[in-house]
Amino acid sequence: MLIRRRGAIAPRRLISNYLRVLSNRICIGYALVNALSFGCMFAYVAGSPLVLVQVLGISTTLYGWFFASTAFAIMAGSFLNGRLSVRGVPPSRLLKVGLTLAVVSAIALVLVSISNSVRVITLPPLLVLNTFCFGLIAPNAKHGALQPLPEVAGVAAAVLGFTQMAIGGTLASALVAFFYDGRTATAMTSIMSLFALASFAVYATIVRPAEQRIALASFNRYPDSHKT
């Protein structure tokens, strides 16, 4: 009887934990920020071989070196994020910088595409900058998603991983493949821009307002603790 009772309680507890995470605006907001930013990067991953090899006509060997440079850019962003965090730069500031640069570089990529200015000297540098931004965004978005509910961090991590692959990986790559016209970089850069803008919008309209409400409630409840 005891074993059966424990077996019945476990699924209910798991479902309850998932509902806690999914109903927490900060958790789910940061998960979406991470997933949409990943989608921006994955749109590049899915579209870059089509654009750089078929449209720009670079060799597969050169493309391999270029792809390696964008992977290095992500690592450089993560490394810089870690160094600045150690020096006391708030995660929210690093995240804002990453999101802003991602939007600016993605929009620049769209402008280059629609103005027929796609060249080896114009497109790759902007792609490197955009992927660099993901190195700043991802660590802070993941930290923000796990922090509010540390007691169910495993469930929050599962939601984080699922949204990243479902929204960022699957959806972004499918959209690039569907809209690619075989002649331009517009599909890739437009999807990158769409996901970058959506990530910024989720942070600005869902995450920050929720964090500000919690901070205000904490201040009103414990005003003396905020005095210097």
Side-chain angles (χ1 to χ4, degrees):
M1 287 291 295
L2 182 59
I3 294 176
R4 289 181 181 178
R5 186 174 301 173
R6 288 178 178 175
I9 292 173
R12 289 200 298 268
R13 182 176 298 171
L14 184 62
I15 292 172
S16 176
N17 288 340
Y18 270 102
L19 290 175
R20 284 185 63 192
V21 172
L22 294 174
S23 62
N24 187 292
R25 289 176 67 86
I26 294 179
C27 281
I28 200 64
Y30 272 116
L32 288 172
V33 167
N34 176 72
L36 291 165
S37 294
F38 184 78
C40 176
M41 185 194 69
F42 215 82
Y44 149 73
V45 172
S48 60
L50 302 173
V51 172
L52 295 176
V53 176
Q54 295 183 11
V55 177
L56 290 182
I58 70 172
S59 67
T60 54
T61 300
L62 183 58
Y63 171 75
W65 282 106
F66 169 71
F67 193 86
S69 71
T70 55
F72 178 78
I74 298 173
M75 292 188 292
S78 298
F79 176 78
L80 179 62
N81 177 78
R83 298 295 294 176
L84 293 176
S85 296
V86 169
R87 296 188 178 187
V89 180
S92 59
R93 185 177 302 173
L94 293 169
L95 183 61
K96 289 175 188 175
V97 170
L99 290 170
T100 302
L101 286 177
V103 168
V104 170
S105 58
I107 291 175
L109 283 164
V110 173
L111 294 176
V112 166
S113 299
I114 63 178
S115 63
N116 295 321
S117 301
V118 174
R119 304 287 187 276
V120 174
I121 62 173
T122 57
L123 197 70
L126 290 171
L127 291 171
V128 169
L129 175 60
N130 189 269
T131 51
F132 170 83
C133 295
F134 184 71
L136 290 176
I137 296 169
N140 296 296
K142 290 176 181 178
H143 172 76
L146 300 178
Q147 188 179 34
L149 298 173
E151 65 278 11
V152 290
V155 173
V159 172
L160 194 67
F162 175 79
T163 54
Q164 176 173 299
M165 294 311 301
I167 297 176
T170 305
L171 180 60
S173 58
L175 288 173
V176 170
F178 181 79
F179 288 107
Y180 178 60
D181 59 10
R183 296 176 288 102
T184 69
T186 304
M188 179 187 74
T189 57
S190 297
I191 300 304
M192 290 179 68
S193 180
L194 176 65
F195 276 80
L197 286 166
S199 182
F200 187 94
V202 168
Y203 180 73
T205 62
I206 296 178
V207 176
R208 286 304 295 156
E211 289 181 330
Q212 289 168 353
R213 282 194 297 270
I214 291 175
L216 181 61
S218 175
F219 180 84
N220 292 334
R221 187 174 182 181
Y222 305 106
D224 293 338
S225 65
H226 295 272
K227 293 180 180 179
T228 56

